[in-house]
Amino acid sequence: MAKTRRQITEDLKLVDIVIELLDARIPISSQNPDIAKITKNKKKLIVLNKCDLANEIQNKKWIEYFQEKGIPAVLTDSNSGKGIQDCIKKIEKIMDNELKLQAEKGRIGRKIRAMILGIPNVGKSSFINRISKRTTAGVGNKPGVTKQKQWIRINENIELLDTPGVLWPKFESQEVALHLAFTGTIKEDILQRIEIAYELVRFLLGNERKLLCERYKIDEKYIEETLNQEQAENINIYEIMLEIGRKRGCIISGGNIDEEKTARIILDEFKNGKLGKITIEKC
C-alpha cells in the first residue's frame, strides 16, 4: 500500500488531470480517502461507473452532489461504453483554459495527460479498454519518463498513463465494509457470505422491498406478517432470507434450506443487476 502511494505520488508529476473511478451504487464507500489527499493539487474528474446497475434518479443526484463540491462528474457503464464519449469531452473541457494558456506561450499541440485511479472492482480495466478503444499501443517515451512508463493514446488530444496500481479501500466503518462486500470489492468466505447476504436482505427490505418481492415472487403481505412476528428482528429477516432460498429451490436433505447457496444467489443477483437498478448510498 505504501509503495503504491509513493508510485502514484511520483507519477502525478507527469499528468495534468486525475480521473477517479467510483462505483455509482456506493460513491462514498468506493472512495479511498488517500486519493483525495494525494491528488488535491490536480484537476480532477469523477467517473461514476456501473451507472447501469444504479438507480437513475440517484445517479443524477450524485452528479449534482460532486458538481456542488466543484468536482466535474460523469456517468459511465464501461461494459456497454455508455458515457465514455461524455468522459472524453469533459476531460477536454476541464483542460481547455490550461491548453489555451500553454498555446499563448508557444506550446501548441500539447497533449492532455491523464491518470485513472480507483479501488479494486470499480471497473478500471474495462474503463481503460473502452476509453482507449481496446488498444494498449504506447505513444513513445516522454521527457523525464522512464521506459517502463506506458502511455495509451485516447485520441489526438489525450494520452493516458497506464494505471500505476490500485489503492485498496479503507474500512472506516462496518457500514462501509458491508457496502464494499455487497458490490464484491471484499471477497467473502462461506460463513461471511451468509452474514453479508442477510445484511443485504435487511437493506432491501427497508429500501427496495418491491424489487425484492418482484424478483423472488414473494407476496408483500407475507413480508409484513413475517416482520411483525413477536420475535427478534434478525430472526424475522432470516426467515425471509430462507424463503428466498425455498423459492429458488435451495433445498437439501430433510427439507432444510441451503443457506450458503441462498446467500450466493442473492449476492450474485444483486451484483449483476438482476434485482433491478439499486443504489445503496442515497444522496
Side-chain angles (χ1 to χ4, degrees):
M1 183 69 172
K3 181 180 178 182
T4 300
R5 281 194 62 183
R6 286 196 300 271
Q7 183 183 356
I8 291 172
T9 301
E10 187 65 27
D11 288 344
L12 278 169
K13 300 172 185 177
L14 308 174
V15 302
D16 306 299
I17 183 170
V18 172
I19 304 164
E20 183 177 6
L21 250 65
L22 304 177
D23 188 320
R25 298 166 295 178
I26 52 168
I28 301 302
S29 293
S30 58
Q31 279 188 306
N32 183 310
D34 285 346
I35 291 178
K37 293 175 185 175
I38 63 180
T39 63
K40 62 182 180 180
N41 296 320
K42 288 289 180 181
K43 295 183 186 300
K44 183 183 286 188
L45 173 64
I46 292 287
V47 173
L48 295 175
N49 199 31
K50 303 188 180 183
C51 69
D52 58 310
L53 301 176
N55 179 277
E56 292 175 359
I57 294 174
Q58 287 298 317
N59 282 342
K60 292 176 182 177
K61 288 184 177 181
W62 278 112
I63 290 292
E64 293 169 359
Y65 167 87
F66 286 109
Q67 288 176 342
E68 286 172 3
K69 289 183 171 293
I71 306 173
V74 295
L75 297 166
T76 63
D77 168 19
S78 296
N79 289 328
S80 70
K82 177 182 177 181
I84 296 297
Q85 288 304 313
D86 292 336
C87 185
I88 291 172
K89 290 176 183 176
K90 188 70 76 171
I91 292 170
E92 292 174 339
K93 184 177 179 181
I94 292 169
M95 291 299 301
D96 187 52
N97 287 337
E98 179 71 22
L99 293 180
K100 285 178 180 177
L101 289 173
Q102 293 290 337
E104 289 173 3
K105 296 177 182 178
R107 298 188 65 186
I108 299 172
R110 182 180 178 277
K111 306 292 186 184
I112 299 169
R113 298 178 183 176
M115 175 193 290
I116 296 178
L117 295 175
I119 66 172
N121 207 44
V122 291
K124 192 162 62 170
S125 295
S126 297
F127 179 84
I128 291 172
N129 287 338
R130 277 289 178 183
I131 201 168
S132 63
K133 298 178 181 177
R134 287 187 164 80
T135 176
T136 56
V139 296
N141 294 329
K142 304 293 177 184
V145 182
T146 67
K147 292 181 180 179
Q148 286 74 31
K149 304 296 182 192
Q150 186 74 22
W151 292 85
I152 302 169
R153 182 181 289 108
I154 303 305
N155 61 19
E156 61 182 14
N157 298 320
I158 305 170
E159 296 170 358
L160 175 68
L161 178 61
D162 198 7
T163 179
V166 294
L167 286 171
W168 291 87
K170 288 193 172 182
F171 312 135
E172 297 190 330
S173 69
Q174 183 179 2
E175 182 180 49
V176 167
L178 276 175
H179 293 173
L180 293 166
F182 292 163
T183 55
T185 298
I186 303 173
K187 302 303 179 185
E188 72 283 340
D189 61 27
I190 290 175
L191 290 176
Q192 288 176 322
R193 184 178 296 132
I194 295 168
E195 182 178 347
I196 292 164
Y198 162 83
E199 292 292 347
L200 179 57
V201 169
R202 184 169 73 165
F203 170 84
L204 294 170
L205 287 170
N207 298 273
E208 301 287 354
R209 187 176 300 184
K210 186 176 180 181
L211 290 177
L212 184 75
C213 290
E214 287 175 355
R215 179 64 186 171
Y216 298 113
K217 305 295 188 292
I218 297 176
D219 193 284
E220 287 197 52
K221 185 178 179 181
Y222 163 79
I223 297 286
E224 284 293 335
E225 290 175 350
T226 304
L227 291 176
N228 289 326
Q229 291 180 122
E230 292 185 1
Q231 56 185 357
E233 181 191 40
N234 63 328
I235 296 176
N236 293 336
I237 294 172
Y238 181 67
E239 281 189 18
I240 294 170
M241 180 174 160
L242 293 182
E243 180 63 16
I244 292 172
R246 190 174 292 109
K247 291 280 186 179
R248 282 308 178 89
C250 303
I251 300 176
I252 52 180
S253 60
N256 295 316
I257 305 300
D258 187 331
E259 299 170 316
E260 195 276 328
K261 185 177 180 181
T262 299
R264 188 171 65 249
I265 287 172
I266 294 168
L267 291 170
D268 286 348
E269 293 194 343
F270 169 75
K271 293 171 193 173
N272 296 328
K274 292 181 179 178
L275 281 162
K277 297 178 182 293
I278 298 172
T279 298
I280 298 291
E281 293 178 338
K282 302 290 195 297
C283 185

